[in-house]
Amino acid sequence: MSTPYDASGVRPVLGVDAGTASLRAADHLVHDLVDRLGLPPGTVACTHLIRTDERRGTAVSLALPDAGAAESVRAGVAALEGLDAGASLGGRAHGPRGAARAAALAAGEHARRAGGRAVLFPGVEHLTGTVTVADLLALTAVERLVVVGAPPAYRPDPATPVRTRDHVRPEWRAGRLTLALVPAAGGTLAPFEVPDPTPCCADHV
């Protein structure tokens, strides 16, 4: 993969909670941060479901290339007009207490690579139209594919076409960025998550 990405290295993770209620709204927040802050190459941005006594909704996390980039983005989030967000970076909180706590939960889950649904990740720009299994794995940060309903050890043929529908959302599972696929027409595969009703944030690309 040509995009700089260290699949095993530890990277600083910034959590952000701007009060989004759904995954789709969190997707929009990620793309808004990309547009307004110019996130550096190699950033991995995920959405997280937050289910606590004080917060029911979604938050986002940003794994950044280094500490300097993470601090710059944290300061940028704090300075954004019209964004009343909580943020958490390395145990330091900013913003409303409840939102900062939700942000910390998102950041912690991503840092452990225990959960998080990736919206932005190295190589995502290649995942439009139809690609092969081989290219999906070679050109992006996705490390593992699972086919829903198939035995755990099953691995799809590298030449199998994957109909991306311009909407690919892998998840962190046991430390690996994993994409769930389902069988589709004509012997192809497609991401398990379906765009609803159209690929999110099409106006950002």
Side-chain angles (χ1 to χ4, degrees):
M1 192 186 74
S2 59
T3 306
Y5 175 70
D6 182 357
S8 60
V10 176
R11 290 149 53 104
V13 179
L14 171 68
V16 179
D17 179 19
T20 52
S22 67
L23 290 175
R24 186 171 177 81
D27 282 13
H28 277 285
L29 174 60
V30 167
H31 286 281
D32 189 46
L33 294 175
V34 170
D35 290 345
R36 299 173 71 181
L37 297 178
L39 299 180
T43 297
V44 179
C46 292
T47 66
H48 303 259
L49 293 173
I50 303 297
R51 297 292 184 264
T52 66
D53 290 341
E54 61 184 355
R55 177 81 168 93
R56 309 286 286 184
T58 54
V60 305
S61 63
L62 309 171
L64 294 140
D66 53 56
E71 180 57 36
S72 177
V73 173
R74 186 206 65 79
V77 168
L80 284 177
E81 293 185 10
L83 187 70
D84 185 20
S88 177
L89 175 65
R92 291 181 295 137
H94 165 82
R97 178 187 292 183
R101 280 199 287 259
L105 290 174
E109 189 174 59
H110 189 159
R112 297 189 306 274
R113 298 185 175 184
R117 167 183 165 275
V119 177
L120 174 69
F121 51 93
V124 67
E125 67 276 8
H126 298 295
L127 299 181
T128 60
T130 300
V131 300
T132 64
V133 162
D135 283 345
L136 193 158
L137 292 171
L139 298 176
T140 80
V142 175
E143 301 168 73
R144 180 171 175 259
L145 303 177
V146 295
V147 178
V148 176
Y154 174 76
R155 296 293 179 267
D157 186 285
T160 303
V162 178
R163 299 177 182 270
T164 69
R165 298 177 295 219
D166 300 343
H167 184 90
V168 179
R169 300 292 187 267
E171 298 179 347
W172 287 112
R173 296 186 186 178
R176 302 175 73 186
L177 198 58
T178 301
L179 179 64
L181 299 168
V182 293
T188 65
L189 296 168
F192 175 76
E193 182 176 323
V194 178
D196 179 27
T198 56
C200 174
C201 307
D203 55 331
H204 289 271
V205 296

